[in-house]
Amino acid sequence: MLIHSLFFVLGLAALIVGAEALVRGASKLALSLGVSSLVVGLTVVAFGTSSPEVAVSVGAVMNGTTDIAIGNVVGSNIFNVLAILGLSAVIAPLVVHSQLIRQEVPIMIGASVLMLVLVLDGRLGRTDGALLLALLIGYTAYLIRQSRAETKEIRDEYEASMSRRKGWDSHWAVQLLLIGIGLALLVVGSEWLVDSAVAFARALGVSDLIIGLTIIAAGTSMPEVATSVLAVLRGERDIAVGNVIGSNTFNLLGALGISSLVSAQGLPIAPAIMNFDIWVMIAVALACLPVFLAGREIGRGKGLLFLGYYVAYVAYLVLDAQGHDALPAYSRIMIGFVLPITIVTLVAMLLRDQAKAAAGRD
């Protein structure tokens, strides 16, 4: 267990450093080739922060542990919203731009529902993966086209942000080296992480799925954690929200799409995922709309609520894995008491803010 723990930590570190090297090298190279910094931010950086999920899911498929591949994506999306947004909002209230509510959140919800539809037959096949990747390409092309219509002020802001980062990596040879190092670290790190996680699952007597939904999901989301927390500390509170929503969409379309394509038989979907975790992921995605609409910000109270629900979700997984006697009572309390109160509270907050907005217009 000590050796596996060491390789798990090393694998996680390799994923984080690899993602950073890949993002830095690819973004600088794209800028050197004349691609606008705004497009780089919308595409290269978004892909880069999701690269650990892609690497781990593909590595899990190659190792024959498909439950880890699915659990990693579903668990990461749940972790991103509840844990990362929750933690970021506790540090400082987050600003939610209207474009996120109008465009990005509905796209994330649509991708989540599409995944549910595609796995109703119990498998995510190569045709499904091709569809997801095609949608990802279309979404990326749309973002690039949309970026060209941005105001000069926004473009100048991105250019200024990128120009402040010039330094030792401004030469194309260094950029190519960073890309190569980043890809190598992602491959090696994903292999170490998956192998160690499987060993943990065997030693602890829990399924690969549980490990994928929790430990691996949180580990591969570390780039998003770093990006969002640093953005909040720098006062860029809107970036923290956009980073999470964009990452979730890329996870569903990219990580699942590529994983499905590299698997000859497709990805079988465990009944536990079908019966519970996918529904939690969709519910979390749907919850973003009323939370974001209420005041157009995520305050500390909502952040604590998000963190509380993530703790409750992990507690359910642990109790279920152990077959604990307290699980039925825990489920009844969550479904019959906590969830209804939360829904009523969110609706009340939304109606209150809508009434304030209407009064302000009058």
Side-chain angles (χ1 to χ4, degrees), residues 5-6 14 69 94 119 130 157 205 209 221 289 309 324 351:
S5 299
L6 175 61
L94 304 178
V119 302
E157 180 182 344
L209 180 60
S221 291
L289 277 179
Y309 268 115
H324 203 283
L351 292 176

Side-chain angles (χ1 to χ4, degrees), residues 12 15 51 93 104 119 127 144 151 237 239 243 265 272 312 343:
L12 181 57
L15 286 174
S51 56
E104 307 305 333
V119 302
T127 303
I144 294 173
T151 64
R237 296 179 296 163
I239 292 179
N243 170 56
Q265 291 79 33
I343 293 171

Side-chain angles (χ1 to χ4, degrees), residues 267-318:
L267 304 182
I269 309 299
I273 284 274
M274 288 290 301
N275 297 333
F276 182 68
D277 300 287
I278 285 183
W279 295 101
V280 173
M281 181 186 72
I282 293 174
V284 166
L286 287 170
C288 287
L289 277 179
V291 170
F292 290 5
L293 281 169
R296 298 296 176 92
E297 75 168 17
I298 308 174
R300 288 188 171 90
K302 296 174 186 175
L304 289 172
L305 180 67
F306 274 14
L307 285 174
Y309 268 115
Y310 187 71
V311 172
Y313 169 69
V314 173
Y316 177 89
L317 292 181
V318 172

Side-chain angles (χ1 to χ4, degrees), residues 60-341:
V61 170
M62 301 301 289
N63 284 354
T65 52
T66 54
D67 280 350
I68 287 181
I70 297 292
N72 172 42
V73 171
V74 174
S76 289
N77 278 23
I78 295 171
F79 180 86
N80 285 351
V81 173
L82 296 182
I84 297 180
L85 283 187
L87 175 62
S88 301
V90 169
I91 296 173
L94 304 178
V95 177
V96 181
H97 281 302
S98 58
Q99 177 175 329
L100 280 172
I101 299 172
R102 195 175 60 247
Q103 175 179 301
E104 307 305 333
V105 172
I107 289 175
M108 177 185 69
I109 294 172
S112 302
V113 174
L114 176 62
M115 178 192 173
L116 173 64
V117 172
L118 293 178
V119 302
L120 286 177
D121 60 353
R123 183 175 297 273
L124 201 61
R126 281 186 164 174
T127 303
D128 301 327
L131 173 62
L132 292 174
L133 270 183
L135 289 174
L136 177 60
I137 294 170
Y139 175 56
T140 303
Y142 175 75
L143 287 178
I144 294 173
R145 181 178 179 183
Q146 187 180 51
S147 71
R148 293 173 180 169
E150 293 289 357
T151 64
K152 185 177 183 300
E153 179 183 357
I154 293 178
R155 290 197 297 271
D156 290 344
E157 180 182 344
Y158 269 84
E159 296 293 345
S161 174
M162 288 293 182
S163 65
R164 289 193 296 268
R165 301 177 187 176
K166 289 182 179 178
W168 58 272
D169 55 354
S170 56
H171 194 276
W172 65 268
V174 178
Q175 294 158 4
L176 288 176
L177 179 62
L178 282 173
I179 293 173
I181 292 173
L183 290 173
L185 286 174
L186 286 172
V187 172
V188 173
S190 66
E191 184 175 347
W192 286 348
L193 196 71
V194 171
D195 289 345
S196 302
V198 171
F200 287 155
R202 301 291 182 268
L204 297 174
V206 299
S207 66
D208 294 341
L209 180 60
I210 298 297
I211 295 293
L213 285 166
T214 53
I215 298 176
I216 293 183
T220 55
S221 291
M222 285 300 110
E224 286 91 340
V225 173
T227 301
S228 295
V229 171
L230 285 175
V232 171
L233 293 175
R234 291 170 181 164
E236 300 168 333
R237 296 179 296 163
D238 53 336
I239 292 179
V241 184
N243 170 56
V244 164
I245 302 304
S247 177
N248 278 12
T249 301
F250 276 92
N251 286 347
L252 289 165
L253 301 181
L256 282 184
I258 296 173
S259 300
S260 303
L261 283 177
V262 301
S263 176
Q265 291 79 33
L267 304 182
I269 309 299
I273 284 274
M274 288 290 301
N275 297 333
F276 182 68
D277 300 287
I278 285 183
W279 295 101
V280 173
M281 181 186 72
I282 293 174
V284 166
L286 287 170
C288 287
L289 277 179
V291 170
F292 290 5
L293 281 169
R296 298 296 176 92
E297 75 168 17
I298 308 174
R300 288 188 171 90
K302 296 174 186 175
L304 289 172
L305 180 67
F306 274 14
L307 285 174
Y309 268 115
Y310 187 71
V311 172
Y313 169 69
V314 173
Y316 177 89
L317 292 181
V318 172
L319 291 174
D320 185 50
Q322 295 177 343
H324 203 283
D325 294 339
L327 182 62
Y330 182 84
S331 300
R332 285 195 297 271
I333 292 173
M334 292 298 298
I335 296 174
F337 182 71
V338 177
L339 286 179
I341 287 181

